[in-house]
Amino acid sequence: MYWTENLATGVDAIDKQHKDIINKMDEVFKSGQTGKSGEEILKVLKYLEGYVKKHFSDEEQLQIKCKYPKYQQHKIAHTQFIKSVDDLFEKFKKEGPVLTLIMDVNKTILDLFVKHITMVDKDFAKFYRENQK
Ligand SMILES: [Fe+2]
Ligand SMILES: [Fe+2]
């Protein structure tokens, strides 16, 4: 379990999605240990990317709603995040869904995601809590 209380932003809707995403990443690690094939795990990872995109767009909607002044910056961070994930997926096209590579990628995405929560989402969540109507 990778979710810890210090990742909580205090906005329930956001925290729920963050937990879902992190738990799903945890699942990827576990399926790597239980001998699932690279192909199968890659499917989960792709699904995860879709979920992350949805989460980003939900977050951006909230930011528009409460007129968050750093909306543009935050949106750029989301775009860059998805770009990094796509770059990692490119590796699979070249090297195939090798299990060790998938685990590496999953770890990189998890680290990026945790970093995004602590450095970027928490700032927005604070603003949202203070400026919500
Ligand atoms: Fe975000
Ligand atoms: Fe987020």
Side-chain angles (χ1 to χ4, degrees):
M1 182 69 167
Y2 293 84
W3 172 264
T4 52
E5 265 317 305
N6 63 356
L7 292 179
T9 66
V11 178
D12 289 348
I14 293 179
D15 284 340
K16 189 196 172 293
Q17 290 181 336
H18 287 166
K19 273 184 200 168
D20 282 350
I21 290 165
I22 288 176
N23 287 341
K24 203 84 196 160
M25 287 180 184
D26 193 19
E27 223 177 87
V28 172
F29 283 119
K30 289 202 179 101
S31 37
Q33 290 155 358
T34 54
K36 280 219 172 121
S37 75
E39 299 276 352
E40 280 174 285
I41 304 171
L42 191 55
K43 264 187 216 153
V44 181
L45 219 50
K46 286 263 183 206
Y47 164 82
L48 198 55
E49 188 189 28
Y51 192 156
V52 168
K53 281 184 185 163
K54 187 200 176 293
H55 164 64
F56 284 172
S57 124
D58 288 351
E59 237 175 51
E60 287 161 19
Q61 288 310 312
L62 283 182
Q63 292 174 5
I64 293 169
K65 220 173 93 188
C66 75
K67 299 189 170 65
Y68 181 48
K70 295 181 200 161
Y71 165 75
Q72 285 299 341
Q73 269 166 267
H74 199 127
K75 195 179 162 67
I76 289 170
H78 285 167
T79 308
Q80 279 169 348
F81 186 97
I82 294 297
K83 167 94 175 57
S84 317
V85 174
D86 284 338
D87 287 349
L88 289 168
F89 279 133
E90 276 303 302
K91 280 192 177 182
F92 295 124
K93 286 194 186 135
K94 287 184 211 123
E95 299 172 38
V98 185
L99 201 58
T100 47
L101 183 61
I102 292 174
M103 292 304 128
D104 261 12
V105 165
N106 191 44
K107 173 85 174 65
T108 310
I109 297 174
L110 177 65
D111 289 346
L112 274 177
F113 196 67
V114 165
K115 213 171 167 185
H116 181 84
I117 294 175
T118 42
M119 318 257 298
V120 188
D121 284 347
K122 278 190 176 180
D123 184 86
F124 161 60
K126 185 172 180 288
F127 181 88
Y128 184 76
R129 282 188 273 112
E130 287 163 2
N131 293 275
Q132 201 180 6
K133 276 160 218 136

